[in-house]
Amino acid sequence: MRVAPLFADKAGRRSADPLRLTGPAPVVDLHALALLLAPPALWGEFVPRSPWQGIERVPAEIPRARPGSLPRAFTRAVEALTADADTIGVRVSGGLDSLAVLVHALRVARGRPVVASTTDLTDDVGGSSAAVVRRLLADLQLPAELVVSDPARDRSEPLWSAVGPRLDAAPEVNAATAERASELGIDVLLSGDGADALLGVPRFATAAVAAARGARAAARYAADVAGAGPGLPGEVAAAAARLLSAGPRARGYWAANWPTWCDPVAPAVLAEPYRSAATAWAREWVDGQVAAHAAAGRSWAQADAHDSLFPHEEIPPAGVVPEASPFLHDAFLGAALALPLGHRYHPRLPSAYLRCKAQVVRLLPPRALPVLPRRKQYFAGSLGRQATGGQRAPRCVKAGLLDPVAPAAETDTAVLLTVAALERWLTGAEREAAVVTAG
C-alpha cells in the first residue's frame, strides 16, 4: 500500500514532492488547510486535499487481500524494511504493537545493533510508559539498547514537509527522538503505526466472532465491548440491521457509530469563509462515505473495519532518519486484509485488551503472554499539555484562516493540536517562499 502521498498537477505530471509541480512561486491553498479542522479529518487524522493551489493528491489504491501466515508475513515486512540498515531503531511505547516490531527486528537483526527508543510519558492513572518498556525488555530478555526521552526536556523542531502539516500529537518530542536516532547512527526507525486500524477487532462484530469462534466467544466479545462506544445496544442494532437493505443499513451504521458526524460542524476557531466551507465539505464527505458503504454492501462490522483503516495518512519523518511501519508494508498488508474479521478476536486470552488484540499477540512468542500488559495505557493528560501551543497562532490569524479570538478560548485537544500543526506548517511554507494569501 502506498502510504506516502503522491501529487499531480493539471498537466498530469506526478511527484511525491508537490513543490516539483508548483513552479517557482507555490501558492498555499488555505481552503484546503481549513479542511484539516473539519470533523472527519480532525478526528480521522487525514489530509483531505493538497495544501497547494493547482496540485491534487492522487488517491491511493486499496491493496488486494492475499491469504497467508501473519507471523511469516510480518517477519518478511521487517526484513524488507531493515535490509539496508546497519543499525535498526524501533519506537516503543509499552504497547503490544511496537513490542511486536521490536521482537521481529531483533529476530532479523543477525548481529546488527537494535535500539529501542521510548518517551517517558505519564499515563492517565499515573503510570510511566518507560517503566513498562523496561519491564518488558527485562522479562523477555530482549537484547536491545534502550534510549529514554523526557517529553519536558527533549524537544526539537521537526523537519518541514511540503506534503502538508504533521498530524502527530507530539511533533517536537518525535523530532528529538529522530535527532537522537541520527546521532546514534540508526538507519531506519520502525514503529507500530497502523496496527490498531488493521488488526483491532471492529465494533459490531458479535456475528463475525460467532461465525469464526462460536457462540461462547461471541458472548465474551459482547461482554468485553459492553462499556465502550455503542456497547451492547450497538451490537444488538447491528444484528437487526442485517435485515435491512444496503442503503438504510449504511445510514444506520453511521448514526450508531459516528453520531456527532451525522451533521458535522467545523469548530469556531476557523474564520469565515473557511468555517462554512469546511462544514459543507464535511457533510459532503459523510454522505460519500455512507454511499460507499451502501454500494459495497458492507455489514456494520465491515464498515467500521474499513473506516478504521481508510483513509490512512502517513506522517512524514520528523528528522533525517527514514521512518516506517511493518504493519503497513505490502508484505504484511495483504495477509492482514485477508483475515476474516471474527478471527481478530480470541476468547481464551487473559484480558479484554489482549482478546481484542489477538492477532498482535500472535506475532509475539508464546513465552511473552504471562508478562504482557493486561490493559492499554492512555495519555489524554499528556496530550492535553502538548496541545496548549495551539491557543496562540498569529501566523494563521494573519492569513485570515483562524478567528483572532477563538483559539485562546479553545479547550479541545484535537483542535489545538491541529491549530499548532497549521501554524508550524504555514511558518515553514513562508520560509520556502510560498505565497500565503487570504481567499
Side-chain angles (χ1 to χ4, degrees), residues 207-237:
V209 172
R213 305 288 193 189
R216 288 186 179 180
R220 188 158 206 184
Y221 162 80
D224 283 342
V225 302
L232 283 178
E235 297 297 317
V236 172

Side-chain angles (χ1 to χ4, degrees), residues 43-44 76 96 140 229 259 331:
W43 294 103
R76 288 197 301 271
L96 302 184
L140 297 175

Side-chain angles (χ1 to χ4, degrees), residues 109-307:
R110 298 182 184 89
R112 293 175 292 175
V114 176
V115 179
S117 297
T118 193
T119 301
D120 192 11
L121 298 175
T122 300
D123 68 21
D124 294 344
V125 295
S128 160
S129 59
V132 174
V133 172
R134 288 191 184 96
R135 180 183 62 77
L136 286 170
L137 264 61
D139 288 346
L140 297 175
Q141 299 181 327
L142 300 178
E145 177 186 351
L146 179 62
V147 176
V148 180
S149 298
D150 179 343
R153 183 189 67 238
D154 299 320
R155 306 174 74 86
S156 188
E157 186 65 21
L159 287 181
W160 182 84
S161 171
V163 304
R166 297 181 59 84
L167 300 181
D168 47 344
E172 293 175 337
V173 174
N174 292 336
T177 298
E179 192 174 90
R180 180 64 174 145
S182 178
E183 292 169 355
L184 292 171
I186 290 172
D187 297 299
V188 65
L189 196 53
L190 303 181
S191 73
D193 183 39
D196 274 339
L198 185 63
L199 294 178
V201 182
R203 293 170 172 175
F204 316 119
T206 300
V209 172
R213 305 288 193 189
R216 288 186 179 180
R220 188 158 206 184
Y221 162 80
D224 283 342
V225 302
L232 283 178
E235 297 297 317
V236 172
R242 298 172 67 190
L243 303 175
L244 300 176
S245 60
R249 183 168 67 242
R251 289 191 293 273
Y253 155 75
W254 199 267
N257 208 30
W258 313 111
T260 59
W261 292 9
C262 289
D263 187 26
V265 177
V269 293
L270 278 173
E272 293 295 357
Y274 303 108
R275 189 183 186 208
S276 294
T279 297
W281 173 86
R283 291 170 178 170
E284 291 174 6
W285 187 88
V286 167
D287 289 344
Q289 290 295 105
V290 173
H293 289 320
R298 295 184 182 114
S299 69
W300 284 20
Q302 290 168 336
D304 184 62
H306 182 277
D307 288 345

Side-chain angles (χ1 to χ4, degrees), residues 391-412:
Q391 291 179 322
R392 185 177 181 277
R395 186 62 203 85
C396 290
V397 170
K398 181 181 177 182
L401 180 62
L402 298 185
D403 180 270
V405 177
E410 183 60 60
T411 58
D412 187 290

